[in-house]
Amino acid sequence: MKKKSMSVREMRRLLGLGKTEAYWLVKKNYFDTVIIAGKMRVMIESFENWYANQLHYKKIIGEAPGKNWTSITMSIQETASLLGIAEGTLYDLMKKKPFKTVKVGMYTRIYIDSFEDWYNSQSHYKKVIKNEEVVACLKIASLN
């Protein structure tokens, strides 16, 4: 039978957090909790849904956070690398709102389809490397 909940201590270890920060996440109602035998337990399904929709907290071992966002959006760093420009230059460009963005926690992400539509409609900026190569380079860099 598959485990349906975990203790707050297990969640802390999984994310590498201290006790205060772990209970702060619980208090913010980011995931469903239950009390069993007087002990608080975090429901694993709600934890995994939360994990897939945020980018700030990372598991010590396992998949990267934000899988629901990383498949449809790019980070500022990825987009700037793709265009071969500085992040500051990209922020200046974003003031003109050429493509759709979304705030995921404290991070701004750029929708890939919106970026591609904008890119195909302009002639000033050129891609330095393909998007897949940017993602691969960033993944390698994050491992170091």
Side-chain angles (χ1 to χ4, degrees):
M1 190 161 124
K2 192 173 179 183
K3 190 173 166 183
K4 295 187 185 244
S5 68
M6 66 178 141
S7 68
V8 176
R9 179 180 283 181
E10 289 173 299
M11 182 197 69
R12 285 179 42 214
R13 288 185 188 141
L14 185 62
L15 296 173
L17 301 177
K19 189 174 185 178
T20 303
E21 192 168 15
Y23 278 101
W24 181 84
L25 293 175
V26 170
K27 182 176 169 41
K28 289 289 193 176
N29 293 319
Y30 286 144
F31 13 79
D32 298 333
T33 58
V34 294
I35 304 292
I36 299 175
K39 302 283 184 176
M40 184 177 296
R41 307 235 356 131
V42 175
M43 301 307 292
I44 292 175
E45 183 178 347
S46 70
F47 173 83
E48 292 299 337
N49 287 336
W50 165 81
Y51 189 74
N53 283 299
Q54 62 85 39
L55 295 164
H56 181 73
Y57 296 95
K58 295 174 178 55
K59 291 180 181 177
I60 299 294
I61 298 173
E63 75 273 6
K67 71 179 176 184
N68 291 351
W69 289 109
T70 55
S71 62
I72 61 170
T73 63
M74 295 186 291
S75 69
I76 298 300
Q77 181 184 8
E78 290 169 328
T79 307
S81 295
L82 180 63
L83 295 173
I85 60 176
E87 290 178 28
T89 304
L90 180 60
Y91 280 112
D92 288 341
L93 174 63
M94 289 170 54
K95 289 177 186 174
K96 299 175 187 171
K97 300 186 189 235
F99 31 74
K100 293 180 185 175
T101 61
V102 63
K103 206 71 164 142
V104 180
M106 59 187 188
Y107 301 101
T108 300
R109 307 276 304 172
I110 298 168
Y111 283 102
I112 294 170
D113 58 350
S114 176
F115 172 82
E116 291 298 334
D117 290 344
W118 165 81
Y119 181 79
N120 293 327
S121 71
Q122 59 84 44
S123 59
H124 180 77
Y125 295 94
K126 300 291 181 213
K127 290 182 183 177
V128 175
I129 53 179
K130 294 180 182 170
N131 189 27
E132 297 80 22
E133 293 172 345
V134 170
V135 173
C137 290
L138 290 171
K139 285 182 181 176
I140 291 169
S142 69
L143 294 175
N144 295 331

